[in-house]
Amino acid sequence: DGLAAAAWWWLVASAVGLAAWPLTHRLLGRLWAGGWPLARVVGLALTAYPVWLGASLGVTSNTVGASLLSLGCLTLIGLVLAWLGRRSLTAFLRSRWREAAAAEGVALVAYLIWTAVRVLNPDLWHPWWGGERPMEMGFFLAVLKSGRFPPYDPFYAGGYINYYYYGLHLAGSLTKLSGIRPEVAFNLALSLFYSLTFSSAMVLGASLVRSRAVLAGLASAALVAIVGNVEGGLLLIRRWAEIGPNAPGGGVALVGWLPRVVSGVVAVLTGQRAAPAYDFWAPTRVIPDTINEFPFFSFLYGDLHPHILDMPVILTAAATAFCLVARPTGDVPPRLDRAAVARLGLLALLIGTAVATNTWDAPLLVATSLGAVVLLWARSRHRNRIPWLVAVGVIAAAVAGVLLFLPFLSLYRPPPGGFSWSDDGSPLMHFLRVWGLFAFLSAALSQEVIAESRFRRGALGFLALAVRQWRRLPRLLGLAERSTEGRRAAGAAGWLLLASLAALGGLVLLGRAAAAVALALALVSGLGAVAARGRGTAFAQGLAALGWLVLLGTELFYLKDWLAGGAAYRMNTVFKFGVQAWLLLGVACGALALRRGTRSGDGRRAGWRLPALALVCLAAVYPVLGTPTRLSDRFPNAQPPIGTLDGLAYMSVGAYFWPDENHFIVLAPEKEALDWLRENVSGTPVVAEAALGYYREGGSRVAAYTGLPIPLGPQHEAEQRPQAPLGTRHALVRLLYESPDPAETLDLMERLGVSYVYVGQLERIAYGQGIGDKFATMASAGQLETVFDNADVVVYRLQVTGDRLQGERE
């Protein structure tokens, strides 16, 4: 469960990538390093899908053999493609092997670093920072154990997982292929997907520039997966300033914080005050009543959440879209040839994968692909030669992606809602504390791209020229008047500018300043996309424009879910779509910041480099200080020795209080009982345990750590199945434990389909210390059988006929 497991996991993931490499190179070979780091993403998608489809249609089962067969077929296809394209592959290896080696080195280093992070804190639960890992671990085990899809719901016996679970199937495919225990694979999946996210961002960023590709790729990867938001640094400044509130000059506006910080540092160095603690949580809760996560925090916090598992899919789809519209040679526009059709097929698979992995992301992939085609049309000098079939192909790919995962959509029941107008938006300063770095970089880089642009025809071309040559605007207008085409372009540009200013003014008047900033940056980035010289630069500008449009949408609209009607009604909208915007803006700004512009030698960048560096330093505070703070948050009484990746090892030594300090819960006896259930109970019989949540209580541990279904689990069941009679089940579970009547208890077990009853420390605290006497009496009467007993935890099995027991095992 340590170094050997980490090495084997990486080798298995690499084998999947190698199997898909010939196909990936054929479709995405125009990318930097031939697209090699994306091969693992493509291979994982291609290996997992046939197994999932077969299990969803009832044709095959979700087994280790099915995963091996799927990988074998992919390997065979790869060998055939490698032979057919041997000349191209050989030429690539001879001329660009250094790129591939660098890409692989970066991916491996990212994997090893994050594996070290998980080794320092592999725990799957914590009394205060438990997160949603128990729920995800239970789902993960259910995905692994289910022969058919959708998987059964371990937290709602008799139901299936009404959630976007496919990302856990991707991780589960590697778990089956590697044979690594799920509680170890959970942590290794976090390490692998961090590496995939980092390397995918690097490949895409490096592919968007013509020179300094490696540096541009690293910059994109760093902005995507390393730095935090500006609030991470501002938080540190405020904490240190609080130590020296009476410093001379501390009350001066704008700069008073500096003497207060200096005074605070001196107070700490002289031993007068203790150094302030860093709050790793606060930078993700900046905008009131919302979640403002960024990728580094998501991986650091350690939940194997759908938005994490879909990050490499988003970046790979964006890279595929870029290859789809990239000009092969000269000024010839791309055509819908066989290679383009194959890329559209890959795009369809990635869109469908997003549908079932994190449904929120699927529209973004479609918008990215269509946006690339629109950008190609807007930039073309020969618009009548634009391959409209490519646009039609993208739409067909989106439809195909939905059809590929129709078995998922046919059974998935999203919460009722739809989009609605937001009552209020984000306060401007709060918005900039999250997005300030990207806002500054996007504005500065767009201005630079527009300034370096060549004149293009049409209204957008004239507008770009006017921005570039604003000092000579009267002369430009005079020149435009001399031709009909010029008058039309100038007039249309004027109307576009007027409409933009009206929209911005309207948003400000409505009190939506943050929305106005997002719209302004979207417009400037979009103008830069049209005006840019190179297609890679244009695509990067387009990604930035789309990122700001996504944020604009979160400021104006929200998706009605179970939080609608409360103060946190925008929480999931800002959270989910904010992560998407971060990926797009991170790749775009990283690539553009390191590109070598046509006028890079005239000092044009000197004006924005210093403030950009200051903002980067503020954003870099979070990974430096947030990481050790988060990793040190382990169980307060004891931790297992460092060196394991076993997410359940903490239970061997951990203990906690709940609901107050009068109730001390020791986890070792619970782990012993859970291990017995994992090793001795086959199939998926229902186990009764206390209907308690996991955030603070530590409940639902049977479902979370064995995968066996329980009648009712954590709070999220209300979100995932709003129409289910959850209150009734909760009452029945409580009555099952509290009823003094054995006959009524047996009837309740029959109604709930319960085969085992778990009586542990939480059950005694929640339902009374005397509940064990009732079940012991029932065992003495032959109604139940005691199958496990370590004094702190007792597990009973319902005495059933051989036919029923055999049915449960099946």
Side-chain angles (χ1 to χ4, degrees), residues 128-142:
W128 301 289
W129 302 109
E132 296 180 358
R133 288 182 294 285
M135 179 188 75
E136 287 150 1
M137 185 62 189
F139 281 174
F140 188 37
L141 289 169

Side-chain angles (χ1 to χ4, degrees), residues 380-513:
S380 176
R381 296 180 179 179
H382 310 286
R383 294 182 181 176
N384 59 332
R385 296 173 58 195
I386 290 297
W388 295 102
L389 285 177
V390 175
V392 175
V394 170
I395 298 174
V399 175
V402 172
L403 293 177
L404 286 174
F405 284 83
L406 196 58
F408 169 82
L409 291 173
S410 64
L411 293 174
Y412 174 60
R413 297 291 179 266
F419 283 96
S420 182
W421 178 260
S422 177
D423 295 332
D424 52 9
S426 305
L428 178 59
M429 296 312 297
H430 291 72
F431 182 83
L432 293 178
R433 281 155 58 187
V434 176
W435 300 103
L437 172 60
F438 290 133
F440 181 84
L441 287 176
S442 186
L445 293 168
S446 295
Q447 184 274 334
E448 184 179 84
V449 168
I450 293 170
E452 295 174 351
S453 66
R454 295 175 296 182
F455 177 80
R456 295 182 182 276
R457 296 181 179 181
L460 293 176
F462 183 85
L463 190 57
L465 182 62
V467 172
R468 176 184 170 186
Q469 302 290 345
W470 60 273
R471 294 182 181 87
R472 302 177 182 178
L473 187 57
R475 177 177 173 80
L476 292 177
L477 292 174
L479 292 173
E481 286 293 328
R482 298 181 182 180
S483 68
T484 302
E485 183 180 355
R487 286 195 299 271
R488 289 176 179 174
W495 281 109
L496 285 174
L497 183 60
L498 183 61
S500 301
L501 292 175
L504 292 171
L507 290 173
V508 172
L509 291 175
L510 290 173
R512 302 297 179 89

Side-chain angles (χ1 to χ4, degrees), residues 160-469:
Y160 60 85
I161 296 178
N162 189 44
Y163 194 59
Y164 17 85
Y165 61 84
Y166 192 78
L168 294 172
H169 172 58
L170 296 177
S173 296
L174 282 180
T175 305
K176 288 180 178 295
L177 291 171
S178 65
I180 293 176
R181 289 184 290 123
E183 57 269 30
V184 177
F186 188 99
N187 283 308
L188 289 175
L190 284 166
S191 299
L192 178 64
F193 277 80
Y194 179 81
S195 173
L196 294 177
T197 300
F198 193 95
S199 57
S200 298
M202 180 180 181
V203 170
L204 181 54
S207 302
L208 300 179
V209 297
R210 296 180 179 179
S211 60
R212 295 190 289 190
V214 175
L215 292 177
L218 288 174
S220 293
L223 290 180
V224 166
I226 295 182
V227 303
N229 54 35
V230 176
E231 173 64 12
L234 296 177
L235 174 67
L236 178 66
I237 292 174
R238 290 199 302 272
R239 292 292 183 267
W240 281 93
E242 290 170 359
I243 300 177
N246 300 320
V252 179
L254 298 180
V255 296
W257 60 270
L258 183 57
R260 295 199 302 271
V261 169
V262 173
S263 177
V265 172
V266 172
V268 171
L269 293 178
T270 57
Q272 301 176 33
R273 299 288 297 273
Y278 189 81
D279 186 353
F280 81 94
W281 182 264
T284 66
R285 301 299 188 273
V286 180
I287 300 172
D289 298 315
T290 67
I291 296 174
N292 315 124
E293 281 193 24
F294 41 89
F296 187 89
F297 170 86
S298 299
F299 282 102
L300 180 64
Y301 196 60
D303 289 353
L304 200 59
H305 205 273
H307 77 277
I308 282 181
L309 297 167
D310 208 34
M311 287 182 190
V313 177
I314 293 174
L315 295 169
T316 302
T320 305
F322 177 63
C323 287
L324 192 64
V325 300
R327 180 184 294 127
T329 56
D331 193 38
V332 179
R335 297 173 299 173
L336 196 63
D337 52 15
R338 286 184 298 177
V341 172
R343 291 189 190 98
L344 287 170
L346 175 59
L347 188 63
L349 176 63
L350 295 171
I351 290 173
T353 299
V355 167
T357 299
N358 191 34
T359 311
W360 302 71
D361 295 337
L364 177 73
L365 304 193
V366 179
T368 302
S369 305
L370 287 175
V373 178
V374 171
L375 181 59
L376 178 66
W377 174 84
R379 289 171 48 82
S380 176
R381 296 180 179 179
H382 310 286
R383 294 182 181 176
N384 59 332
R385 296 173 58 195
I386 290 297
W388 295 102
L389 285 177
V390 175
V392 175
V394 170
I395 298 174
V399 175
V402 172
L403 293 177
L404 286 174
F405 284 83
L406 196 58
F408 169 82
L409 291 173
S410 64
L411 293 174
Y412 174 60
R413 297 291 179 266
F419 283 96
S420 182
W421 178 260
S422 177
D423 295 332
D424 52 9
S426 305
L428 178 59
M429 296 312 297
H430 291 72
F431 182 83
L432 293 178
R433 281 155 58 187
V434 176
W435 300 103
L437 172 60
F438 290 133
F440 181 84
L441 287 176
S442 186
L445 293 168
S446 295
Q447 184 274 334
E448 184 179 84
V449 168
I450 293 170
E452 295 174 351
S453 66
R454 295 175 296 182
F455 177 80
R456 295 182 182 276
R457 296 181 179 181
L460 293 176
F462 183 85
L463 190 57
L465 182 62
V467 172
R468 176 184 170 186
Q469 302 290 345

Side-chain angles (χ1 to χ4, degrees), residues 209 489 613 767:
V209 297
L613 180 61
Y767 303 129

Side-chain angles (χ1 to χ4, degrees), residues 149 219 228 488 519 551 555 714 740:
F149 286 136
R488 289 176 179 174
L519 176 59
L551 293 177
E555 291 299 314

Side-chain angles (χ1 to χ4, degrees), residues 85-97:
R86 57 190 180 279
R87 293 182 179 178
S88 175
L89 287 173
T90 302
F92 169 81
L93 293 175
R94 286 177 178 174
S95 61
R96 300 171 63 188
W97 66 269

